[in-house]
Amino acid sequence: MSHPQTTLPGQRPGVLRYVVASLVGNALEWYDFFLYATASAVVFGRIFFPADTDPLVGTMAAFAGFAVGFAARPLGGIIFGHIGDRLGRKRSLVLTLSIMGISTALMGLLPSYAQVGLLAPALLIVLRILQGIAAGGEWGGGVLLISENANTSRWGMLSAFSQGGISLGFVLSSLAFFLAQLMPEPQFLAWGWRLPFIVSVVLLGVGAYIRFKLPESKEFSGARESRPRRLAALDALRTHPREILVAMGLRVAENGGSYIFLSFSIVYGVHVGVDKGLLLLAVAVSMLASFGTYIFFGYLSDRIGRRPVYALGAVGMGAMAFPFFAMIDANTPAVVILAFLIANGVCHGAMIGTQPAFFHELFSAEVRYSGMAIAHEVAAVFAGGFAPLIATALLLNTNSSVAVSLYVLGMVLVTLIAVAAAGPKKHDRQRLETDRPAQVLS
């Protein structure tokens, strides 16, 4: 079922402006959030969580702080999901970006454990909680900025650009640390690691300006009469409980597996003697390539459906669970980079590139921001938030990647069950057309 394009000359920008705003804003926001993940694997164990024994112990403490940030994300999803569903997507997104940027910059100014003792990790955790709250409200709004202003026939491809911002954010954070580590180690440990955090103040201004200039999405404006009058999260839980559970299950392999193949993989590589610079470069290359694969898989989901593409990514991730670590063990630059390209660009890319449109289609407009945010962020706590910590503990206790690979397979199984539970007719386009108040800009 199709509708003619609706244009409002002089009143509303085309979808390209929304794509750019979502892409740039997401890239800057997730640059900030991923800085902690990279720093946890590279430097935070020595700066904020000193350990006199095995370096893995200090890294585990840093990853515990990483998990705390994830634990705060559902709170952000509830707060900013309500703001987004009740007051507007744009207002919510400007707030999340501001909180994230300020918190990240302050991390770069914190004293070390050697200077102030336990106060240092305590302050770091407080700022990480603020990062988590901001990240919890970011993803759903960034996706809706595009999907609520795009033609339904291109939801998958165009919405995938918001995920492209996530990959670019990771690339920026990885490259920032890669460049910082080129300086002599004493200078890097003393002050060099702080620079990637402090520069986020500049990025904050750019992203906030771009988002502030945009009008609200037409679909949100069309749902004016049905906007929630109480806490939007409660309405989402009451009206879409099954959809929230399905979306959470879809996240398990995508989010948990990605942090195994990104953050933990650096720890594992260093543990088996791979050069840290090569690992950071491999992550950056794979995530840069992922930008293109996200768009491709989003496009493919428009052609053959969300479920087949998502299932393809999950099965692929399961197939890479053991070969990935074997390829790192090889300690050959080309093989290491190829491992990251396959795991992150193809396997993870097929899921995350399809995810925005998949999630969009689960929820009605009046609670869509909250429903997507709750599912996305609650799943992130037990999937991605604890994945590096659990994987590091398994490595510490077994000195082998086998248990970690089995852990990945378990997450894949959960996601495949969720894909099956979504049902082949769940996202029928004709049903969606009747739910939409009007055709939005294409």
Side-chain angles (χ1 to χ4, degrees):
M1 186 177 194
S2 62
H3 296 269
Q5 293 185 13
T6 300
T7 57
L8 298 174
Q11 298 182 40
R12 185 177 296 275
V15 69
L16 180 61
R17 286 264 310 271
Y18 289 98
V19 170
V20 171
S22 179
L23 177 64
V24 173
N26 265 353
L28 301 184
E29 181 115 16
W30 291 99
Y31 164 83
D32 290 345
F33 192 73
F34 285 138
L35 277 179
Y36 188 101
T38 306
S40 294
V42 174
V43 70
F44 275 0
R46 286 182 284 178
I47 300 296
F48 295 105
F49 303 95
D52 297 327
T53 55
D54 194 323
L56 287 177
V57 176
T59 302
M60 282 185 64
F63 277 145
F66 178 79
V68 167
F70 274 81
R73 284 172 63 168
L75 177 60
I78 292 172
I79 293 172
F80 293 106
H82 179 77
I83 293 173
D85 282 330
R86 188 74 185 92
L87 302 177
R89 315 319 196 193
K90 182 178 74 172
R91 188 174 303 182
S92 178
L93 289 171
V94 171
L95 286 172
T96 61
L97 190 63
S98 300
I99 294 172
M100 180 68 81
I102 293 171
S103 301
T104 303
L106 289 176
M107 282 185 180
L109 301 175
L110 287 179
S112 67
Y113 181 91
Q115 293 172 315
V116 297
L118 290 175
L119 180 62
L123 291 173
L124 180 66
I125 295 302
V126 169
L127 293 176
R128 180 59 178 174
I129 290 172
L130 291 175
Q131 275 194 332
I133 291 172
E138 166 65 25
W139 183 83
V143 167
L144 295 181
L145 202 61
I146 298 175
S147 64
E148 290 189 339
N149 291 284
N151 187 286
T152 56
S153 66
R154 295 188 293 165
W155 269 350
M157 183 188 71
L158 292 176
S159 297
F161 276 94
S162 65
Q163 305 290 57
I166 297 176
S167 70
L168 292 182
F170 202 103
V171 169
L172 290 173
S173 65
S174 297
L175 286 179
F177 265 91
F178 177 74
L179 293 174
Q181 282 199 124
L182 294 179
M183 65 178 61
E185 186 171 16
Q187 284 83 357
F188 173 74
L189 292 176
W191 57 269
W193 68 268
R194 299 178 182 274
L195 297 179
F197 288 87
I198 295 174
V199 76
S200 66
V201 170
V202 178
L203 302 180
L204 162 64
V206 174
Y209 175 79
I210 291 175
R211 286 182 167 177
F212 187 77
K213 298 293 286 184
L214 286 176
E216 279 297 345
S217 74
K218 185 176 181 181
E219 190 166 351
F220 169 79
S221 301
R224 182 179 303 274
E225 297 303 320
S226 56
R227 291 179 197 170
R229 303 195 179 279
R230 58 178 179 174
L231 189 62
L234 296 178
D235 281 353
L237 290 168
R238 177 178 58 83
T239 58
H240 297 76
R242 185 178 182 276
E243 289 80 2
I244 288 175
L245 288 176
V246 168
M248 288 172 62
L250 293 173
R251 282 279 281 161
V252 172
E254 176 271 310
N255 192 239
S258 71
Y259 279 104
I260 295 294
F261 293 148
L262 291 173
S263 298
F264 169 75
S265 61
I266 298 175
V267 175
Y268 178 80
V270 171
H271 181 69
V272 298
V274 180
D275 180 69
K276 190 184 299 180
L278 171 61
L279 292 166
L280 290 174
L281 180 62
V283 168
V285 169
S286 71
M287 292 303 286
L288 186 60
S290 293
F291 181 87
T293 63
Y294 293 171
I295 309 306
F296 168 74
F297 285 117
Y299 166 80
L300 189 62
S301 77
D302 286 330
R303 306 277 73 81
I304 68 174
R306 319 297 182 207
R307 293 173 69 249
V309 179
Y310 211 97
L312 173 67
V315 170
M317 181 170 284
M320 277 296 291
F322 285 94
F324 177 79
F325 295 106
M327 294 171 78
I328 291 181
D329 291 337
N331 200 2
T332 301
V335 175
V336 171
I337 292 174
L338 180 62
F340 281 85
L341 282 171
I342 295 173
N344 296 322
V346 179
C347 304
H348 178 244
M351 290 185 282
I352 198 169
T354 309
Q355 193 176 94
F358 208 154
F359 277 30
H360 177 115
E361 294 169 357
L362 287 170
F363 302 96
S364 55
E366 63 271 13
V367 295
R368 185 173 291 135
Y369 199 144
S370 295
M372 291 173 62
I374 291 171
H376 192 270
E377 306 312 333
V378 171
V381 175
F382 60 79
F386 288 100
L389 180 63
I390 292 172
T392 305
L394 291 171
L395 178 63
L396 183 63
N397 284 279
T398 66
N399 196 34
S400 169
S401 64
V402 172
V404 180
S405 298
L406 293 173
Y407 175 43
V408 172
L409 288 176
M411 291 189 287
V412 167
L413 179 60
V414 172
T415 288
L416 288 175
I417 292 172
V419 172
K425 301 296 184 182
K426 187 66 183 177
H427 310 294
D428 181 77
R429 183 168 295 157
Q430 288 187 346
R431 179 186 65 80
L432 289 170
E433 293 282 359
T434 63
D435 287 344
R436 293 166 66 83
Q439 175 66 25
V440 293
L441 295 176
S442 59

